[in-house]
């Protein structure tokens, strides 16, 4: 294997990106596999941790690829580590990826066929360049990323800002060229108390923990300020939905997990490629947190040995990708994988293991499609008695709660990532745990809060599989001009353990249009639709389905001041009194995608 370290590839604007190239022995030319990352190409990727605990280095990865006749390439993104330029998160990746591939196909060791791979941001970089139809791109492996629409998943969601962008920016600013070159800047960042800063939101220019690295502060505050869906959100790098018609017809492996931050992006991209191209694709959805494919627990819930990737989905993740690129770039006649492989959570004993984790269990399902064959919709109506039932209400009824921006409902797990050290994702009993930011710390159930409306079914008389989209349609009114509505689907065990399955949010001003906000009128009911991430969970007989409605989910999302102020501004926060209507005229309900148990065998 011949190694070319830090080859500086020129972009169209004259900036050079540092690139490590690993060449196989022999005359060539060869197919190429590339990963473009902001996380230091010289360090092992967190995606390369095997079931046995081995953390595979870039050199070890390259050795496996070159041994099978591939050129392996790893590149630092613009403004990161050895690359030149200024880092502005996401916006340059389409053109930089295009220019890099255009350079690669002109090299004598390249046979004109390029595959791309990478986790999270390194998946975003792939889909960004794919939207520009770069030369040579013949396949992708999108692992837990690739923006279908960053306004709806990844940066914002339901009109609210995902505050993982703030924690990510703070951590990564410490790895910025400025911080690495100037010990004083790094020390200033280290002295910032991020926990205190999260109690002083929203941040402003010069008044944030990022002020020491202005370019990081600038892009974060820009994301925060861009509340309406306008031109900012329609760039190719973060809006593949607007460019699906331009996508190359190439095979793509899509992978994510039910407690990942990119569930909806992954499923939307898979659906678009499946409908718009003729190539063979694969979808893998595990039970994990973001990229943790060989960790079988999420939060305080254990899914069992079957929940690992290695030995269950494929021999291991590296071998899976090598086989994928053998088929895609070399036309090697290897057996093709199932087009859809999803992990059905649930079915476990419900007892605690030696680590104190609840045994929720689960198993893999192979299928030819997603949602699964035989899927239908199930509607559960909300009632004034705080029940979920199949029959619509027959009388006028309503329930109210107050949403106080100074006392938001705390985030306890969920499908999210990059929240450290403020918040973490995963499945947890929904309680005010002392180890979670913003809770009261008294371990009381969140459902007992005055600002949470909780609705649940009677104990199930038979198993129920919810596998696919989830939609909550609420008729609400408020005495405020704007407010947030959150919804959380919960699997309640007979002993009361309340496991969060999926959740979502909708900023009421965007109830009718993402482009044109509309204020609320006091006393006038309006329909607000909340679309949590899809899921795949077996609610066992004796369990209950629960739906929690509230006005915030902080620090996962920024808190709405309820005042109608511009995004990222909250000079005049106020308490909103919100009312949920449950009447024949205004039927609030939850619509689930359910699959017969026989179809999931």
């Amino acid at each position: 294997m011949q190694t070319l370290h830090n080859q500086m590839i020129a972009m169209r604007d004259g900036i050079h990106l540092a690139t490590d190239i690993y060449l196989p022995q022999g005359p060539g030319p060869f197919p190429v596999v590339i990963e473009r990352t902001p996380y230091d190409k010289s360090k092992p990727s967190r995606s390369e941790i095997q079931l046995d605990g081995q953390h595979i280095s870039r050199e070890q990865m390259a050795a496996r690829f070159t041994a099978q006749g591939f050129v392996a390439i790893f590149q630092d993104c613009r403004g990161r580590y050895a690359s030149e330029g200024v880092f502005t998160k996401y916006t340059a990746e389409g053109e930089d990826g295009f220019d890099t591939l255009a350079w690669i196909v002109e090299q004598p060791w390249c046979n004109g066929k390029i595959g791309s791979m990478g986790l999270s941001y390194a998946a975003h970089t792939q889909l960004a360049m794919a939207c520009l139809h770069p030369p040579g791109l013949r396949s992708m492996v999108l692992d837990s990323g690739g923006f279908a629409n960053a306004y709806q998943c990844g940066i914002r969601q339901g009109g609210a800002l995902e505050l993982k962008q703030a924690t990510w920016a703070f951590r990564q600013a410490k790895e910025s060229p400025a911080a690495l070159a100037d010990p004083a800047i790094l020390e200033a960042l280290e002295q910032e108390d991020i926990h205190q800063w999260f109690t002083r939101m929203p941040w402003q220019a010069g008044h944030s923990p990022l002020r020491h690295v202005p370019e990081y502060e600038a892009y974060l505050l820009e994301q925060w300020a861009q509340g309406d869906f306008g031109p900012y959100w329609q760039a190719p790098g973060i809006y593949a939905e607007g460019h699906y018609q331009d996508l190359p017809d190439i095979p793509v492996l899509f992978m994510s997990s039910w407690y990942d931050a990119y569930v909806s992006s992954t499923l939307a991209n898979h659906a678009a490629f499946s409908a718009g191209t003729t190539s063979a694709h694969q979808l893998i959805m595990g039970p994990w947190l973001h990229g943790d494919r060989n960790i079988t627990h999420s939060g305080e819930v254990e899914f069992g040995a079957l929940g690992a990737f290695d030995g269950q989905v494929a021999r291991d993740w590296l071998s899976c990708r090598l086989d994928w690129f053998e088929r895609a770039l070399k036309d090697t006649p290897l057996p093709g994988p199932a087009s859809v492989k999803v992990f059905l959570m649930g079915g476990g004993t419900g007892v605690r293991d030696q680590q104190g984790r609840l045994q929720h269990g689960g198993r893999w399902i192979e299928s030819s499609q997603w949602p699964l064959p035989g899927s239908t919709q199930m509607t559960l109506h909300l009632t004034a008695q705080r029940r979920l039932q199949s029959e619509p209400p027959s009388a006028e009824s309503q329930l109210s709660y107050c949403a106080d921006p100074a006392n938001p409902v705390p985030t306890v797990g969920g499908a999210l990532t990059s929240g450290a050290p403020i918040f973490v994702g995963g499945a947890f009993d929904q309680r005010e745990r002392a180890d979670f930011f913003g809770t009261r710390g008294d371990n009381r159930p969140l459902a007992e809060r005055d600002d949470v409306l909780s609705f649940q079914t009677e104990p199930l008389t038979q198993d129920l599989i919810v596998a696919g989209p989830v939609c909550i349609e609420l008729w609400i009114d408020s005495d405020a001009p704007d407010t947030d509505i959150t919804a959380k689907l919960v699997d309640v065990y007979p002993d009361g353990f309340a496991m969060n399955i999926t959740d979502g949010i909708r900023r009421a001003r965007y109830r009718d249009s993402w482009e044109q906000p509309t204020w609320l009128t006091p006393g006038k009911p309006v329909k607000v639709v909340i679309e949590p991430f899809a899921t795949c969970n077996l609610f066992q007989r004796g369990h209950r389905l629960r739906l929690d409605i509230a006005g915030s989910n902080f620090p996962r999302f920024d808190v709405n001041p309820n005042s109608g102020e511009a995004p990222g501004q909250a000079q005049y926060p106020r308490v909103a009194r919100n009312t949920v209507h449950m009447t024949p005229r205004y039927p609030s309900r939850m619509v689930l995608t359910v699959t017969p148990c026989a179809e999931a065998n």
Side-chain angles (χ1 to χ4, degrees), residues 393-518:
S394 58
E396 302 287 321
S397 59
Q398 60 189 40
L399 292 170
S400 299
Y401 65 93
C402 290
D404 183 356
N407 182 29
V409 178
T411 300
V412 180
L416 49 90
T417 186
S418 302
I422 303 298
F423 52 96
V424 298
F428 293 89
D429 193 6
Q430 295 297 287
R431 293 179 174 273
E432 301 249 11
R433 298 167 47 117
D435 54 343
F436 275 71
F437 181 88
T439 71
R440 296 167 181 167
D442 56 10
N443 210 41
R444 290 179 57 191
L446 289 178
E448 293 183 1
R449 290 177 59 110
D450 293 338
D451 51 0
V452 175
L453 298 181
S454 190
F455 305 83
Q456 63 181 0
T457 65
E458 294 297 319
L460 297 175
T461 58
Q462 59 185 10
D463 290 351
L464 176 68
I465 294 176
V466 176
V470 176
C471 181
I472 295 92
E473 302 171 356
L474 300 179
W475 285 90
I476 67 109
D477 75 71
S478 177
D479 63 1
D482 186 37
T483 192
D484 286 353
I485 309 293
T486 68
K488 182 187 300 174
L489 175 62
V490 181
D491 185 347
V492 182
Y493 274 73
D495 66 358
F497 185 95
M499 174 182 169
N500 54 305
I501 300 298
T502 185
D503 62 76
I505 191 169
R506 189 68 171 255
R507 191 147 287 176
R509 70 173 76 176
Y510 299 114
R511 65 192 179 276
D512 297 323
S513 168
W514 301 113
E515 295 85 2
Q516 299 292 331
T518 306

Side-chain angles (χ1 to χ4, degrees), residues 40-347:
D40 193 348
K41 66 181 178 349
S42 66
K43 294 180 181 178
S45 167
R46 63 180 296 271
S47 68
E48 307 304 331
I49 302 176
Q50 295 187 322
L51 185 60
D52 61 8
Q54 180 185 3
H55 199 171
I56 303 173
S57 68
R58 302 280 190 191
E59 290 76 13
Q60 290 172 312
M61 291 178 65
R64 288 284 301 276
F65 276 98
T66 57
Q68 288 192 213
F70 296 98
V71 176
I73 296 180
F74 302 100
Q75 183 181 73
D76 288 328
C77 289
R78 175 182 294 248
R80 298 288 288 174
Y81 298 96
S83 286
E84 299 173 352
V86 174
F87 177 74
T88 303
K89 196 175 185 184
Y90 306 132
T91 57
E93 307 305 347
E95 292 180 345
D96 285 353
F98 183 102
D99 293 351
T100 299
L101 266 59
W103 181 87
I104 290 172
V105 296
E106 295 299 324
Q107 304 311 302
W109 37 257
C110 175
N111 70 357
K113 295 182 178 181
I114 304 173
S116 61
M117 64 180 182
L119 165 72
S120 192
Y121 198 110
H124 303 330
T125 64
Q126 296 179 66
L127 192 58
M129 70 180 181
C131 289
L132 302 181
H133 225 294
L137 186 62
R138 295 291 184 271
S139 183
M140 295 188 291
V141 175
L142 296 176
D143 181 4
S144 308
F147 288 121
N149 182 343
Y151 181 82
Q152 293 294 359
C153 174
I155 302 179
R156 303 189 77 93
Q157 194 175 134
L161 177 71
E162 297 185 19
L163 288 177
K164 70 180 178 67
Q165 293 295 341
T167 46
W168 190 96
F170 179 68
R171 292 199 316 275
Q172 295 303 319
K174 298 177 184 180
E175 301 289 326
S176 66
L180 295 178
D182 187 342
I185 293 177
L186 180 58
E187 177 62 19
L189 288 167
E190 295 287 2
Q191 292 302 314
E192 296 290 354
D193 187 337
I194 188 67
H195 289 82
Q196 280 296 318
W197 278 108
F198 260 73
T199 68
R200 297 156 61 187
M201 286 189 161
W203 299 343
Q204 303 297 329
H207 186 73
S208 86
L210 296 169
R211 65 191 184 280
H212 312 289
V213 189
E215 64 264 34
Y216 282 69
E217 182 183 70
Y219 88 70
L220 175 66
L221 296 183
E222 179 74 2
Q223 292 174 350
W224 211 325
Q226 294 286 343
D228 303 345
F229 183 67
Y232 177 88
W233 299 106
Q234 296 168 22
I238 57 175
Y239 184 49
E241 283 182 358
H243 304 270
Y244 279 153
Q245 70 276 7
D246 302 321
L247 291 171
D249 191 345
I250 58 175
V252 183
L253 193 165
F254 302 89
M255 184 159 70
S256 184
S257 45
W258 301 123
Y259 287 96
D260 180 34
Y262 297 104
V263 174
S264 64
S265 277
T266 300
L267 296 177
N269 289 332
H270 173 258
F273 272 86
S274 297
T277 66
T278 61
S279 298
H281 309 293
Q282 185 183 19
L283 173 66
I284 301 169
M285 295 294 296
W288 322 296
L289 290 168
H290 182 66
D292 292 338
R293 64 187 58 78
N294 284 317
I295 298 176
T296 61
H297 65 269
S298 171
E300 59 181 323
V301 169
E302 175 64 56
F303 298 105
L306 292 178
F309 181 95
D310 290 7
Q312 302 297 330
V313 179
R315 183 166 68 254
D316 57 62
W317 179 222
L318 183 52
S319 299
C320 177
R321 284 170 290 174
L322 283 163
D323 288 349
W324 179 267
F325 289 126
E326 282 283 345
R327 286 186 292 265
L329 302 182
K330 294 184 183 179
D331 300 320
T332 304
L334 295 173
S339 57
V340 172
K341 193 162 187 175
V342 298
F343 191 84
L344 173 62
M345 302 181 293

